[in-house]
Amino acid sequence: MHGAFEAKDNRAPRFSRRNAIENPDFDFARVSLPPATYAQEKHKVEVRWPAAVKFIREQKLNEVFDGPISEIGVITQGGMYNVAVRSLQQLGLADAFGESKIPIYALNVTYPLIPEEVTAFCTGKRAVLMIEEGQPAYIEDALHAILRRADLKTRVHGKDFLPMAGEYTGEVVLTGVAKWIEAISPRGVDLDGARRVLGALDATKQRAAELLGGTVPARPPGFCIGCPERPVFSAMKLIERESGAFHISADIGCHTFSTLPPFNIGNTVLGYGLGLASNSGIAPMFSGRTVTIMGDGGFWHNGLTSGIANAVFNKSDGILVIMKNGYTSATGIQSIPSSLHQTEWKSGDMSIERALKGIGVEWIKPVYTYRVSEVAKTLREAMNSAYKGLKVIIADAECQLERQRRIRPQIAAALKAGKRVVRTRFGVDEDVCSGDHSCIRLSGCPSLTIKAASDPLKVDPVAHVNNDCVGCGLCGEVAHAAILCPSFFRAEIVQNPNVLDRFAARLRNTVIGWLQPTEGLRS
């Protein structure tokens, strides 16, 4: 879709920092508390609602598209108009430019409805189809009420032909519209054509299933490449091997991806910053210590007050892991009080550690998240500690997505200036790789994948690090911590090398040449 519109010139706000309010006034009628709310509700019904209806009608915000088959009609939510027209086109009832043979009433404003517009559209029609995504069927029920009050006999259909819930994709709407057309049997419509479209749709799905040879594997969402939260869950999987599964109260944030494969870690999710609060009600049911995961965004949102203060007050013996990635990453990487990179308008001296100490937490252990063995060691220490009280582990590493956004312009500027730049990459020696893929199951990084082995004697594919790698080192750390095969190697790619780099490269190549077998060269 594309379109154009004309914008008005920017206007300075009436009130701003440069134009502050000198004499603020107070009116109790604007306070959202009784008894003021009673008058506000009365004003809304008697004044604002009629004004909204008048504005929608006069500005023609809802649209009517006429068609020659006037005995039936389609009513859609504004956002469903395109998929409705596309469905009609596939049924031969509209062209590629959106000219429909069946009249369409597009509700660009779904609330409040305009009864006069609804009755005008439905007058003279045997039936209309309401294409309304979601449930309950609010608009469909409202149409019934409007038409009955107007004493119109137009039949309203909707959820009887379309699903009650779920996304209204093109296939869903096409199927529903075709079945509705077949049931209503309007004059001048090729019903056999609708049946053929449905048959072709089923045949296409069946053919696709035959070609795929089975159900396509699910691809659940996961962490970004190099995400600093992934190593924490790798460490937890290693701990599970020793102690068995333990209850984990999750929170809202990027780390909730851990509940999906390959980690499948996380048992409950209540709300943003409420992981530890919910854990206080669950922990007494378990014999062992429970673990709560909380992001630093959730910590500042309400985790500090509702969860941590409550846990300290009640002398909770649980374990809290705070993902200190520096931002509220899950909602767009907004800065938070503990972000390292703040603007001049924000305070740069607020820390999670001081906040925890100030509220009474005594057991605090920071750990660098990319050191999987250190994370596992700290978790093991918290689980086996004799200390009875809240134990907080701060998993500290910057959000990789924001880090890449921050350093890429710096790297580009350095390269442009001819400065030496070193980029770290990891790889897998396929001669050493055993092909059991334990590293993938414990890492889950999208850049750690598989490829066919070049050795014809190796049947199974080997692990492979593709070019998306950002050099976080998790794959090698996991292999080391889990005592897996030593097939991972670390490489440094030097751009704009200096004299020492070039000499070292020539020396390495010379030594490697001496050590390489020469039988192939002689032939």
Side-chain angles (χ1 to χ4, degrees):
M1 295 184 293
H2 65 88
F5 63 92
E6 292 185 7
K8 295 181 180 179
D9 294 336
N10 290 335
R11 292 186 301 172
R14 182 181 176 188
F15 301 112
S16 65
R17 289 186 177 182
R18 296 181 179 180
N19 187 24
I21 301 174
E22 295 182 359
N23 299 306
D25 67 302
F26 171 76
D27 184 357
F28 182 78
R30 294 197 292 261
V31 177
S32 59
L33 291 172
T37 50
Y38 305 141
Q40 293 167 10
E41 188 70 13
K42 191 171 184 293
H43 182 268
K44 181 180 73 174
V45 174
E46 295 180 350
V47 179
R48 295 175 62 191
W49 191 325
V53 170
K54 180 182 177 183
F55 181 83
I56 296 167
R57 186 192 304 114
E58 291 179 350
Q59 299 298 320
K60 295 181 172 57
L61 299 184
N62 297 325
E63 298 173 273
V64 175
F65 303 91
D66 292 323
I69 306 177
S70 58
E71 62 175 310
I72 60 174
V74 173
I75 303 177
T76 74
Q77 294 168 303
M80 297 303 303
Y81 170 79
N82 291 289
V83 69
V85 169
R86 174 61 176 159
S87 299
L88 292 172
Q89 180 193 350
Q90 290 178 289
L91 293 169
L93 297 173
D95 61 21
F97 300 98
E99 295 292 334
S100 174
K101 295 179 182 179
I102 297 177
I104 300 176
Y105 177 35
L107 293 171
N108 296 317
V109 180
T110 58
Y111 184 85
L113 294 176
I114 314 300
E116 298 85 352
E117 290 184 0
V118 173
T119 55
F121 179 78
C122 294
T123 298
K125 291 180 171 54
R126 286 197 296 119
V128 294
L129 176 67
M130 179 68 232
I131 302 179
E132 175 185 8
E133 190 174 49
Q135 55 82 33
Y138 291 116
I139 305 177
E140 183 181 339
D141 293 343
L143 292 181
H144 279 290
I146 292 171
L147 296 180
R148 298 301 84 82
R149 289 193 186 104
D151 198 25
L152 290 178
K153 306 302 181 184
T154 306
R155 289 190 298 174
V156 178
H157 299 279
K159 300 298 184 183
D160 48 348
F161 289 96
L162 292 160
M164 178 61 74
E167 184 181 1
Y168 276 18
T169 61
E171 177 187 342
V172 169
V173 175
L174 172 60
T175 303
V177 172
K179 290 181 178 179
W180 176 69
I181 291 291
E182 186 177 2
I184 296 299
S185 302
R187 293 185 298 273
V189 175
D190 180 14
L191 300 181
D192 291 333
R195 297 187 187 101
R196 284 194 299 271
V197 170
L198 289 178
L201 183 61
D202 291 337
T204 301
K205 291 166 66 176
Q206 184 177 354
R207 178 58 177 158
E210 293 173 356
L211 292 173
L212 291 171
T215 305
V216 177
R219 298 187 64 185
F223 299 100
C224 300
I225 293 173
C227 175
E229 298 184 358
R230 183 181 285 109
V232 175
F233 300 107
S234 297
M236 286 186 178
K237 296 300 287 187
L238 295 176
I239 295 293
E240 278 188 345
R241 290 181 173 184
E242 304 170 4
S243 62
F246 45 88
H247 181 89
I248 295 179
S249 297
D251 211 310
I252 301 298
C254 295
H255 67 267
T256 317
F257 287 134
S258 66
T259 59
L260 303 173
F263 299 113
N264 300 306
I265 287 180
N267 304 93
T268 58
V269 178
L270 180 63
Y272 192 37
L274 297 176
L276 191 58
S278 66
N279 185 265
S280 64
I282 296 172
M285 298 190 301
F286 299 96
S287 57
R289 282 171 172 158
T290 56
V291 177
T292 299
I293 311 293
M294 183 186 296
D296 47 3
F299 171 87
W300 291 112
H301 179 70
N302 63 15
L304 178 63
T305 53
S306 65
I308 297 171
N310 174 71
V312 173
F313 178 71
N314 290 300
K315 296 183 178 180
S316 167
D317 192 31
I319 300 168
L320 171 64
V321 178
I322 298 177
M323 301 292 193
K324 186 182 176 183
N325 60 29
Y327 309 89
T328 304
S329 300
T331 56
I333 313 185
Q334 293 85 10
S335 292
I336 53 178
S338 54
S339 295
L340 293 176
H341 309 283
Q342 302 282 17
T343 66
E344 59 180 323
W345 305 102
K346 306 294 182 182
S347 172
D349 192 29
M350 299 176 70
S351 88
I352 292 176
E353 290 86 345
R354 286 204 307 275
L356 290 169
K357 291 178 181 177
I359 210 167
V361 179
E362 299 178 1
W363 199 103
I364 303 172
K365 300 282 185 181
V367 61
Y368 183 56
T369 61
Y370 290 109
R371 300 288 181 259
V372 177
S373 56
E374 289 298 317
V375 176
K377 177 183 176 183
T378 308
L379 276 168
R380 194 179 297 110
E381 180 184 349
M383 289 180 171
N384 300 324
S385 173
Y387 175 77
K388 301 296 183 181
L390 181 64
K391 291 160 281 293
V392 180
I393 299 171
I394 301 177
D396 189 358
E398 184 181 11
C399 169
Q400 190 67 239
L401 189 63
E402 183 62 15
R403 179 177 179 273
Q404 294 301 317
R405 289 173 177 166
R406 181 171 55 81
I407 67 174
R408 278 174 182 169
Q410 300 172 1
I411 294 174
L415 290 173
K416 187 176 181 180
K419 296 180 180 178
R420 179 178 182 269
V421 174
V422 180
R423 181 163 59 94
T424 303
R425 277 289 311 276
F426 285 79
V428 176
D429 186 343
E430 65 175 79
D431 291 334
V432 181
C433 177
S434 63
D436 69 346
H437 307 147
S438 296
C439 53
I440 295 176
R441 290 190 293 274
L442 283 169
S443 167
C445 181
S447 67
L448 181 57
T449 180
I450 59 174
K451 72 171 186 177
S454 57
D455 186 348
L457 297 179
K458 283 190 174 183
V459 179
D460 294 330
V462 294
H464 170 66
V465 180
N466 64 28
N467 288 328
D468 293 331
C469 174
V470 295
C472 71
L474 170 63
C475 49
E477 282 288 326
V478 167
H480 173 73
I483 318 178
L484 301 176
C485 61
S487 58
F488 288 90
F489 64 84
R490 178 177 180 272
E492 290 185 347
I493 301 172
V494 181
Q495 294 172 278
N496 296 329
N498 55 30
V499 175
L500 184 60
D501 293 323
R502 296 179 188 277
F503 173 76
R506 285 196 297 269
L507 180 60
R508 292 192 190 102
N509 290 336
T510 301
V511 174
I512 292 172
W514 290 340
L515 298 176
Q516 282 180 332
T518 57
E519 286 80 358
L521 297 177
R522 291 172 184 169
S523 59

